[in-house]
Amino acid sequence: MSAPSKSSPNTSPPSATSLSTSSLTASSDGFLLRGEPFRIISGAMHYFRVHPDQWADRLRKARLMGLNTVETYVPWNLHQPEPGSLALDGILDLPRYLRLARAEGLHVLLRPGPYICAEWDGGGLPSWLTADTGIRLRTSDPRFTDALDRYLDLLLPPLLPQLAANGGPVIAVQVENEYGAYGDDRAYLEHLAEAFRTRGVGELLFTCDQADPEHLAAGSLPGVLSTGTFGSRIPESLERLRAHRPEGPLMCAEFWIGWFDHWGEPHHVRDAADAAADLDRLLSAGASVNIYMFHGGTNFGFTNGANHDHAYEPIVTSYDYDAALTESGDPGPKYHAFREVIARHAPVPEEPAPAAGPKLPPQVVELVDRAPLLPHVSVLAEPVRVDADPVTMEELGRRAGYALYRTTLPVSGDGVLRFAGGVGDRAQVFVDGAPVGVLERERHEEALPVRVPRTGATLDVLVENMGGVNYGSRIGAPKGLLGPVTFDGIALHGWDCHPLALDTVDPVPFAPVADSSPEAGPVFHRGTFEVGAPADTFLSLPGWTKGQAWINGFHLGRYWNRGPQRTLYVPAPVLRPGTNELVLLELQATTEPRAHLTDTPDLGPVKP
């Protein structure tokens, strides 16, 4: 999404004197901000899930709801796509986001990881790191801490001016993230806390863990504030937190007011009155709170994560989360309910609550140009020749996106293709360009019966990375073809492997459609539409099956008729007055060559 920033930091680390005057401190029963009692009323809003031209609008709406603070994670994998690099521009311009928060009068809780979970690809850990299976992630293994230290050496200097001690909005910084659910390496947590301190972070440090005695014990550090994460059972959760730390502020660092969605399951919602009642219980107990999420946003591009407990479950493109602000930034039922609750406990601006933003009038987009992927794959990515068995996407130097594997079949006739180790995560198989089947990691599929029409027929396997696991021990699980491939026991060697980043679709050789009849995928489709005044809209694709969408080169993300999500959010800043371009990569087939722009989102049927 961004190119590495080569700019040098424009500030020196704060002096020891300035560090000692950190603005937020913990008293025996609460917080003090510059010596005065202060309660944190915060909401989560991840800058990397919101178009940067909309940051100011969302921050204003946070203040109008009654929040005095916002919280954000920091995704290591986006900020450092390659070792030694640092991306801090566009949607990753964290210093700008922090400056806008300060301008709006909001404080900031900064959660730089290194692991963030967040239903984010790989939990925020970079693939160049997790691809090394010898590294013990999130431990005091020097291979992990050395990589982390080199990253913090680059990340923290540009952020130091945004610390409260230097006049900025950041009043507290998190050490790791729900570490007690993962490990108990105290030396690692101590290393991380010291890494922040020695690089100039003098603000209050905190940890957060699920309100479970074992998790709190394993994830806490002496001298670092312990906070909890929970969405219900407020008295019980606060009691457990107080039992863990008899003195100090009580804080719910993630008050879960909704939930995320996997493909193939209903959309999750939580009743606004129920969530508001629990928020009132938290504030009535004198606790501080960070609402997760105040504004969820979108997993643009290939950034969604996945869970893998009993089965692999990828996250949808939308991160609406049934939050106080909808995915498109409109106040939802929780916004108004929470504003009323907060007003009972703290000042709320006298300005009226914001209204919903404008939407584009609905229209139909005709997709009149096409380009099939298989014959043009070399235009998008030069092949990497592998003489023996196919290699993973990581070994091809590509984590996100797709990989196309191509070889020839040595015999003809009916037989079984076997993929030792399976696929990561979804593979479409073609023989001489004709689709013969699909294999999915979540279904543990490793074999496919096929008919080979001739000796020397071309075998193509298009593998899609559906999102890196973001929680648990499977973070960094490889993508692509995960082992040897055989046809009726004959090993298939000599592969041309095309890593398809799809960072841009500019090279796609589109041509006008001569025949308007449907064409089996994978096929790129293109059309244009006119816009008067840009406004938010939603892309609806009835009759389409599965693929990716771009508008004016901006990668909206993944669509899939498996649901629950039925529309993709199109931020107004992506559009321009006049002619706009829509590109779809349809992987399978469509029944009609048109798309729809609608003024109403559809995130699918609600979970009962």
Side-chain angles (χ1 to χ4, degrees), residues 74-91:
V74 180
W76 183 0
N77 58 354
L78 285 197
H79 283 290
Q80 193 169 65
E82 302 292 340
S85 66
L86 183 68
L88 278 180
D89 60 345
I91 203 168

Side-chain angles (χ1 to χ4, degrees), residues 3 71 105 118 173 194 241 332 393 520 543 603:
E71 170 267 304
V173 176
E194 183 66 13
L241 193 56
M393 289 177 70
L603 297 180

Side-chain angles (χ1 to χ4, degrees), residues 156 162 215 217 285 289 324 445 514 529 562 578 584:
L156 291 179
Q162 307 308 322
H215 288 193
V289 65
E445 295 170 328
F529 59 98
R562 180 175 291 186
L584 301 177

Side-chain angles (χ1 to χ4, degrees), residues 494-517:
W495 294 84
D496 285 335
C497 308
H498 301 259
L500 298 171
L502 298 184
D503 294 328
T504 175
V505 290
D506 289 343
V508 176
F510 286 104
V513 177
D515 181 359
S516 60
S517 61

Side-chain angles (χ1 to χ4, degrees), residues 1 7 137 205 262 281 377 433 455 557:
M1 290 184 176
S7 59
L137 303 175
L205 297 181
H262 299 118
R281 292 183 183 98
V377 65
T455 300

